[in-house]
Amino acid sequence: MTDKNAPPRAQSSRTLLVRLVREYVRPYLRRMLLAIFFMVIAAGGDAALARLMQPVLDEAFDKQDRDILILVTVLVIVVTLVKGAATYGQTVLMAFVGQRIIADLQTKLFGHVIRFDLAFFHDTATGKLVSRMTNDINLMRNAVANTLTGLIKDSLSLVFLVGVMFWMDWKLALLAFVIFPIAVFPIVRIGRRLRKISTSALDELGRFTARLNEAFQGVRHSKAYNMEAFEAERTGNLIENVFRLVYKALRTRAAASPIMETLGGVFIAAVIFYGGSQIINNELTKGEFFAFVAAMLMAYRPLKALANLNANLQEGLAATQRVFSMLDTEPRIISKPGAPTLSVKGGEIIYSDVSFSYDTGTAALNGVSLSVPAGCTVALVGPSGAGKSTILNLLPRFYDADTGQVTIDGTDVSTVDLTSLRNAIGLVSQETVLFDDSVRANIA
């Protein structure tokens, strides 16, 4: 099993997104395709509304054509109704897909982690595991919900509206492709920085959750030794670290909006000057100019949303990488391929020259041999740390011996199917554990 405390190896955004789509989005492809169809209708509605501004000014107002005015009014109402229905449809469908993906991932993560061997849980703070299942998953939930919807919908809206801009005046539209691509470089750089900060923040949140878990479980000892102030100071330091990282992430994220605002202002000023000059020279009608400006202003919203989307995406990818890292971790103690089912006849247990050390390197058992005849009751007596619990833990393979053998009726426990081994053993632990369930379920 890989080192669970080591930071996950950085993966590219593309690698993480491809895996997310391949393993978790693909099962809901039909719903997504239907949602995309609704998004196309909604995006087309935005473009249609912008395009309808031209006949309002040039035909209805300048030429005082009441019929055109009535027709455009009806068309605006129809387009708005269709766009509203399509928006509702895509929102509901994408909400289902986004939440379903996260629920599937959360279920898979828990099912995977709960199968890890006991050493993993002894060496990993419970709070850090809870943080992966909550903080990381919540960030992924926001990223998936926003990315799946925003990336497709806003991109389609932008394509349609830019198409209208080129239709109205290709020279004016080209200005957008001179100014706005400049924003790509700082936005990408901000996204990369945000992903690094988010990874650090998630690590610190994991430590904070672990600290809370330890503090509340050990509250009796804290009170017995008057350590409340010490515990409060330790936890306060972690809270300050979380605050610093989260605030740093918010500052980094906030930089995207002013960049888009500034470039948007420059573009609008250029369009007003150039378009106004064309109107004065009778090269462009007022209706065409107004329709172009309407499309431009409407295109600014999805463009800004896509810039902010990158920040959401990078935060989510930081969490995704941590979750995938845990999903890619495999337990060390598993059944060997084709392992036979354990068949217990009498139940004789033999430890033969068994040695075992925990990850600290300190030997817990060194060449231990003992025999428990079938049907006998045996008590292991010794001081704390002598290895009594270790001997017990080797029998159901909570750990595997470094050297030597543990056998049941002459069969090495490491060679049989793990499920059949543990089904043959009844364990009454010295720790009192009650699950949040019925008395019947706890007894069972």
Side-chain angles (χ1 to χ4, degrees), residues 13-60:
S13 299
R14 182 179 181 276
T15 301
L16 291 170
L17 285 172
V18 167
R19 180 176 177 182
L20 190 62
V21 170
R22 183 180 66 247
E23 296 182 13
Y24 299 98
V25 177
R26 185 179 291 177
Y28 308 104
L29 189 59
R30 288 186 179 180
R31 277 189 169 89
M32 281 201 66
L33 290 175
L34 182 57
I36 292 173
F37 171 72
F38 286 135
M39 290 179 190
V40 171
I41 295 175
D46 286 334
L49 290 174
R51 182 65 182 84
L52 287 172
M53 296 300 102
Q54 187 263 329
V56 170
L57 284 176
D58 289 345
E59 303 296 332

Side-chain angles (χ1 to χ4, degrees), residues 47 99 108 157 168 239 322 381:
Q99 298 305 315
K108 184 175 181 180
S157 296
M168 302 309 301
I239 291 173
R322 286 161 52 88
V381 181

Side-chain angles (χ1 to χ4, degrees), residues 1 33 53 61 65 119 130 177 206 218 228 261 307:
M1 187 171 63
L33 290 175
M53 296 300 102
F61 292 169
D65 190 330
V130 172
F177 291 89
E228 292 97 330
E261 294 283 354

Side-chain angles (χ1 to χ4, degrees), residues 275-404:
S277 300
Q278 284 191 311
I279 292 175
I280 292 173
N281 296 330
N282 294 319
E283 296 177 2
L284 189 69
T285 67
K286 289 181 287 186
E288 291 171 334
F289 178 70
F290 187 77
F292 182 90
V293 171
M296 178 188 68
L297 294 176
M298 293 175 71
Y300 178 70
R301 183 203 61 77
L303 188 64
K304 186 177 179 181
L306 287 172
N308 290 327
L309 183 66
N310 184 57
N312 290 331
L313 178 62
Q314 293 304 323
E315 286 181 329
L317 288 179
T320 302
Q321 181 168 317
R322 286 161 52 88
V323 170
F324 281 170
S325 175
M326 185 164 284
L327 284 172
D328 292 338
T329 301
E330 294 296 334
R332 288 175 296 196
I333 299 177
I334 57 175
S335 300
K336 294 179 180 179
T341 300
L342 175 65
S343 177
V344 179
K345 299 181 177 64
E348 181 186 34
I349 299 170
I350 297 177
Y351 288 71
S352 303
D353 196 24
V354 172
S355 296
F356 175 79
S357 299
Y358 291 99
D359 290 340
T360 58
T362 303
L365 299 176
N366 188 10
V368 173
S369 296
L370 64 88
S371 175
V372 181
C376 290
T377 300
V378 174
L380 300 178
V381 181
S384 178
K388 303 184 299 298
S389 296
T390 303
I391 290 175
L392 174 64
N393 288 333
L394 294 178
L395 185 62
R397 291 190 68 198
F398 291 155
Y399 298 92
D400 273 341
D402 298 333
T403 60

